[in-house]
Amino acid sequence: ETGVTQSPTHLIKTRGQQVTLRCSSQSGHNTVSWYQQALGQGPQFIFQYYREEENGRGNFPPRFSGLQFPNYSSELNVNALELDDSALYLCASSITTGGSYEQYFGPGTRLTVT
Amino acid sequence: AQSVTQLDSHVSVSEGTPVLLRCNYSSSYSPSLFWYVQHPNKGLQLLLKYTSAATLVKGINGFEAEFKKSETSFHLTKPSAHMSDAAEYFCVVPNNNDMRFGAGTRLTVKP
């Protein structure tokens, strides 16, 4: 069974640029969630995708957007990067069934905005 | 909305001594609760989960947690700390489609 993978591992971007982060979900999982973890803080929920549709969103501006593909992999896109976007971005996959909340996390992508 | 509060930002123990990481939850009902661990420069790993079955939950690497509704607590314990336990620990509660994380407790293990 393959776990959750994310790419790239590290990324350096300049303020104002756009970035795309990628996530492959664990085998058999149909739901992907994205989190932002700033240095020294707990992860904050960005949004979740289920069956290629956004299925919940946290308190993040519209310049944070995402996609889920038929194979359940996902992308996180961030436009007009700001310095405060520097963080570890975590992807988590899960199975959306009644009463099941367990999420499995990837190793993350470390984004630095200069 | 569900939320959790981790009562200690940093806990330091000696190798071989017990570990106690404290978490209180806020919920109008008995929620599911999780503990995750994050080693430096690594992703999050599920340690254990409570889903309203047994109140004492056993997890990986010798960790366990007890759900106490009367105290709205879900503290994480381990009888004997190992150097490899040094990491950041997060108490987590589901809130609709997202997982609400506590601020984290950094565990330091001294030789």
Side-chain angles (χ1 to χ4, degrees):
Chain A
E1 184 178 274
T2 306
V4 179
T5 60
Q6 293 185 243
S7 62
T9 305
H10 295 89
L11 204 52
I12 298 175
K13 289 287 189 178
T14 303
R15 190 170 50 184
Q17 287 186 316
Q18 178 267 342
V19 68
T20 298
L21 310 182
R22 295 178 174 82
C23 170
S24 292
S25 60
Q26 185 164 313
S27 176
H29 288 185
N30 57 14
T31 302
V32 174
S33 303
W34 285 91
Y35 294 82
Q36 180 195 67
Q37 185 178 18
L39 199 62
Q41 297 182 23
Q44 300 290 317
F45 176 68
I46 303 175
F47 44 56
Q48 182 183 89
Y49 277 82
Y50 171 62
R51 292 186 175 179
E52 303 178 53
E53 297 286 334
E54 188 176 289
N55 188 41
R57 187 178 184 92
N59 190 28
F60 281 81
R63 59 188 186 84
F64 285 78
S65 63
L67 286 172
Q68 187 182 31
F69 300 100
N71 67 354
Y72 304 127
S73 65
S74 176
E75 287 183 355
L76 164 65
N77 298 290
V78 186
N79 294 321
L81 283 167
E82 301 177 359
L83 296 179
D84 285 348
D85 296 333
S86 295
L88 180 68
Y89 288 84
L90 295 163
C91 165
S93 75
S94 56
I95 301 172
T96 295
T97 59
S100 174
Y101 302 101
E102 198 167 319
Q103 295 188 355
Y104 295 85
F105 286 81
T109 294
R110 174 76 60 188
L111 173 65
T112 301
V113 182
T114 62
Chain B
Q2 323 304 323
S3 66
V4 290
T5 302
Q6 292 184 243
L7 302 177
D8 308 289
S9 60
H10 185 210
V11 170
S12 181
V13 300
S14 297
E15 190 175 20
T17 65
V19 175
L20 170 64
L21 306 182
R22 299 183 294 165
C23 172
N24 286 352
Y25 69 89
S26 174
S27 174
S28 56
Y29 57 90
S30 293
S32 297
L33 289 161
F34 302 80
W35 276 98
Y36 281 83
V37 61
Q38 187 175 36
H39 288 91
N41 300 314
K42 300 285 188 183
L44 291 152
Q45 181 183 20
L46 179 66
L47 271 179
L48 51 80
K49 62 180 179 180
Y50 167 74
T51 55
S52 73
T55 55
L56 182 62
V57 182
K58 293 189 183 299
I60 62 172
N61 300 335
F63 284 94
E64 62 182 37
E66 186 172 7
F67 176 78
K68 291 187 176 181
K69 187 175 182 178
S70 61
E71 299 176 9
T72 62
S73 69
F74 189 57
H75 300 337
L76 181 70
T77 60
K78 182 174 181 177
S80 176
H82 191 272
M83 295 298 291
S84 61
D85 295 328
E88 189 86 16
Y89 291 80
F90 293 97
C91 182
V92 183
V93 63
N95 182 71
N96 295 323
N97 296 327
D98 69 288
M99 302 283 264
R100 294 288 173 92
F101 284 74
T105 299
R106 179 167 300 279
L107 176 65
T108 300
V109 183
K110 297 175 290 185

